[in-house]
Amino acid sequence: MSKRSIYDGEKETRINNLKDLLSDKSNSPENNYYLVKKIIDEYAYYSFDSTLFYIEKNLKLAAQIQNEHFLNEGRLKLSGLLISTGRYKEAVDLLTLIDKETLSADLIKDYYENHMEVYSRLDFYTPIKRNKAKYLHLYEAYRDSLLSKIDERSDMFLGIQEKKLRDEGKFDEALDINFKREKMVSTESRAFAIISFERAILYAITGDIENEKKCLIKSAIADIKSSIKDNASLTLLATIYFRENEIERAHNYINFSFEDAEVYNSQFRFVNISNILPLISKSYEQNSMEQKSKLTIMLIFISVLAVVLLGALFYIFKQVKKLSAARNKLKLVNRNLKDLNNQLSISNDDLNRLYTELSEANRIKEHYIGTFLNLYSDYLEKLDMYRKMVRKYISTNKFKALLDMTKSKQLIDSEMEVFFKNFDESFLHIYPSFIKQVNEFMQPEFRFDEKTEGRLNTELRILALIRLGIQSSSQIAKILRYSVNTIYNYRVKVKNNSKNRDEFEDLIKKIH
């Protein structure tokens, strides 16, 4: 999951290379058709809008060339896209426009496969028994037609047989076929992701949850490595972990799935995710609230200890004063005790220094407690306002508006800006010379602007968190809401711009 941007970057590079070839004005319409066909294959299951755009582009090229084979191929591609995104009626309407008698041997397979797939899904989703029987009959008819056209050793043939055995309750035989299919494909392909997902369905039916999870994980890994955004494995995996009360893991997976669905722009996938996303998010928020409550109790406990410590310091200070007076009297009485008096004086200085440091520590704690309580109060008030607003939307049946609102990142962005502002002001209040001391460790041309009016940039925030004892890039990434790779790159960049790269972060930890 953390390397998703790398895999997506490789896919974008392949797509851009094909687009560069397509932009060559010397290409013939036929060459452009084949280039667009390759672009469609790259965009398939990665971006619905782009796939649709280039399919329609190829249909125009096919009409321009007046090639009936190209036209039928484009229509079949478009119907397959509509089926995969839940637009079944449009897909059926489009398939009815195709004269199967004009199709080549390869296209007739796609023709039967698309019909079989659309009627399989209609059979699965329709609640009307009469329609269900009709769709099942059509599915079986097109399935049998397809089976007569394909090799019995092919993955497609074996996949159809596996589904038939699964529907008949012959799960062991279905699993045997699934394992055969797995050996025929690469572990980083979409075919592997589908085969693993279908095996997970078999395990789910038989109640083998552990093997179901393993298969879903394999399927999700293959989807991510193949940059497949139209996927279901992680959503189902998040649902399982939610039932097992592993809320944080479920929350990470469902958010990852939601981000993929946004990239692909599939309304069908959004509907599936929306069934479980609110439940996981609510549980995640409850866990966060419980953790905040525990943190509050710990802060109160620390504050009590600080008060006790202050009392002890005050008592020590009084004792030191008495000791100092006694020492002066003893000095007049016996000069031979001069060495002892010097040692007591050194001890007194150490105690004064300790008192100053502890006083400063108490001031920092008081400042952090005040800041935390203010933020906590603000967030409670905002949460209550958000609750009232959601309730108002629901009571007035404004579900679409509510959904649009939850899609927006504006609320998170504004809250992050408030968080950054409070963090920057609090940190610079405690360490007012932080930027100046950091600049002492930097090469002159890479020093930071010290006239920032109480604000830090991203690099300084990372250094501030390191000064506060947070070393892990993953923890820093969570706090600042960046990717781990971004945090790592920032750290490397700042180190490279410092005077002493190896000791730079150790020096940052010692800033006072």
Side-chain angles (χ1 to χ4, degrees), residues 96-110:
T96 57
L97 299 176
I98 301 173
D99 181 4
K100 73 174 182 178
E101 302 301 328
T102 64
L103 298 178
S104 65
D106 290 334
L107 293 186
I108 197 68
K109 295 176 186 177
D110 294 337

Side-chain angles (χ1 to χ4, degrees), residues 368 423-431 434 456 464 467-468:
Y368 266 123
F423 176 81
D424 295 349
E425 291 177 353
S426 298
F427 185 82
L428 290 175
H429 179 76
I430 297 166
Y431 301 100
F434 179 74
L456 302 173
R467 173 60 188 87
L468 294 175

Side-chain angles (χ1 to χ4, degrees), residues 335-399:
R335 291 183 179 182
N336 293 330
L337 297 177
K338 183 178 179 180
D339 292 340
L340 179 59
N341 183 53
N342 289 335
Q343 293 176 6
L344 289 172
S345 179
I346 292 170
S347 298
N348 182 46
D349 290 341
D350 288 339
L351 286 171
N352 283 333
R353 178 178 57 78
L354 178 60
Y355 171 75
T356 302
E357 290 178 355
L358 289 174
S359 296
E360 178 64 14
N362 183 60
R363 182 181 68 81
I364 292 171
K365 290 184 181 108
E366 289 177 347
H367 182 82
Y368 266 123
I369 291 169
T371 302
F372 172 78
L373 291 175
N374 286 332
L375 282 173
Y376 191 75
S377 176
D378 289 344
Y379 279 122
L380 282 176
E381 183 176 355
K382 290 177 181 178
L383 183 60
D384 188 54
M385 291 173 62
Y386 193 80
R387 178 187 65 79
K388 291 178 179 178
M389 181 173 60
V390 170
R391 182 179 179 185
K392 178 181 177 182
Y393 273 71
I394 293 174
S395 63
T396 55
N397 294 321
K398 295 181 179 179
F399 298 108

Side-chain angles (χ1 to χ4, degrees), residues 22 27-37 56-73:
L22 185 64
N27 292 337
S28 66
E30 288 82 1
N31 285 341
N32 282 339
Y33 178 87
Y34 286 112
L35 284 171
V36 171
K37 186 178 176 182
E56 291 179 335
K57 185 178 182 69
N58 248 8
L59 284 170
K60 290 179 183 178
L61 282 170
Q64 177 186 340
I65 301 168
Q66 296 182 347
N67 187 314
E68 188 65 23
H69 176 81
F70 287 172
L71 278 170
N72 286 330
E73 187 176 42

